Amino acid sequence: MFFLKEKIHKHQIIALIFIIPGGLLLCLNDWLNLGHQYHWGVIIGLISGLCYSGYIYTLRKANINNTSKNKNKNANEKSPNTLSILTITTFSAMIFLLIIAIATGEHLTLGTPSNYAWVSAYALVSQVIGWGLISYALPKVNVSVAAFILILQPTLSFIWDVLFFNRITPWFEWLGIIIILTAVSLANHTHSSH
């Protein structure tokens, strides 16, 4: 990846070539059986993936710059830390989603107090702890390795959907999961052996 100034190994290219059909196999059944709203959902998901990649790269770059500035810190120079970056992005996303929710007429109440507790626990685990760990690890690995590992997020969500919500899953979707998991393993195993 010349624009990221990182070397890509041929095994990572092979892994990427396998991940794409694996993802297509996961979407195939619903793509064929559901209407245009699903198609738009997939297209918006792909665009979101590109934005997510840009966000991950920017967050990694900011953390690397922050680390290098802290080593050569000038007394008058303050650089943003990971917590401030995550706080700004979280509140920016919250405001953006609030505007969309209001514009589309979504209800913002969760009902019972236990629902608020579950949403708060979810936010703490996934947003605060999860992104804290991701932000901590990003400067220590190549962008390509981070990308392959983060591909596991939607793949594991699919597996949880099957395990916890009894999603009916045809054989070719399982094949897609196996292909993706194998490709991620290949990309990361190969990187660790170099």
Side-chain angles (χ1 to χ4, degrees):
M1 292 199 292
F2 64 92
F3 62 93
L4 299 177
K5 299 177 184 150
E6 292 188 6
K7 184 179 179 184
I8 292 270
H9 300 285
K10 67 178 178 180
H11 291 91
Q12 290 173 324
I13 294 171
I14 293 168
L16 181 61
I17 290 169
F18 279 104
I19 282 175
I20 293 170
L24 292 174
L25 285 171
L26 288 179
C27 294
L28 180 64
N29 192 40
D30 290 337
W31 185 272
L32 295 175
N33 294 316
L34 299 176
H36 70 282
Q37 286 182 320
Y38 179 81
H39 300 166
W40 275 112
V42 170
I43 292 166
I44 291 170
L46 292 171
I47 294 168
S48 299
L50 290 173
C51 294
Y52 186 55
S53 299
Y55 172 71
I56 293 293
Y57 175 71
T58 305
L59 183 60
R60 180 178 184 270
K61 196 77 167 157
N63 282 335
I64 288 173
N65 290 342
N66 185 34
T67 303
S68 64
K69 282 182 184 176
N70 285 340
K71 289 179 182 173
N72 309 324
K73 193 133 190 177
N74 182 341
N76 297 328
E77 185 180 338
K78 281 206 167 217
S79 58
N81 62 18
T82 302
L83 181 60
S84 62
I85 293 168
L86 290 175
T87 302
I88 290 167
T89 56
T90 298
F91 279 101
S92 300
M94 182 181 72
I95 291 168
F96 180 71
L97 291 174
L98 178 65
I99 292 168
I100 290 174
I102 291 170
T104 58
E106 292 292 325
H107 296 284
L108 300 175
T109 58
L110 299 175
T112 66
S114 66
N115 289 347
Y116 285 96
W118 280 112
V119 168
S120 298
Y122 176 72
L124 178 66
V125 171
S126 68
Q127 188 67 15
V128 177
I129 296 172
W131 275 105
L133 292 171
I134 289 170
S135 299
Y136 173 77
L138 275 174
K140 296 168 179 36
V141 298
N142 290 341
V143 171
S144 57
V145 172
F148 281 111
I149 291 172
L150 290 173
I151 286 172
L152 290 175
Q153 286 179 325
T155 307
L156 293 175
S157 294
F158 184 89
I159 292 172
W160 304 154
D161 193 17
V162 171
L163 293 176
F164 298 123
F165 301 110
N166 299 321
R167 184 184 195 284
I168 298 170
T169 308
W171 67 270
F172 53 86
E173 288 181 352
W174 282 114
L175 179 62
I177 290 288
I178 291 167
I179 290 170
I180 291 171
L181 293 177
T182 303
V184 169
S185 176
L186 171 70
N188 290 306
H189 174 71
T190 303
H191 177 76
S192 64
S193 64
H194 278 85

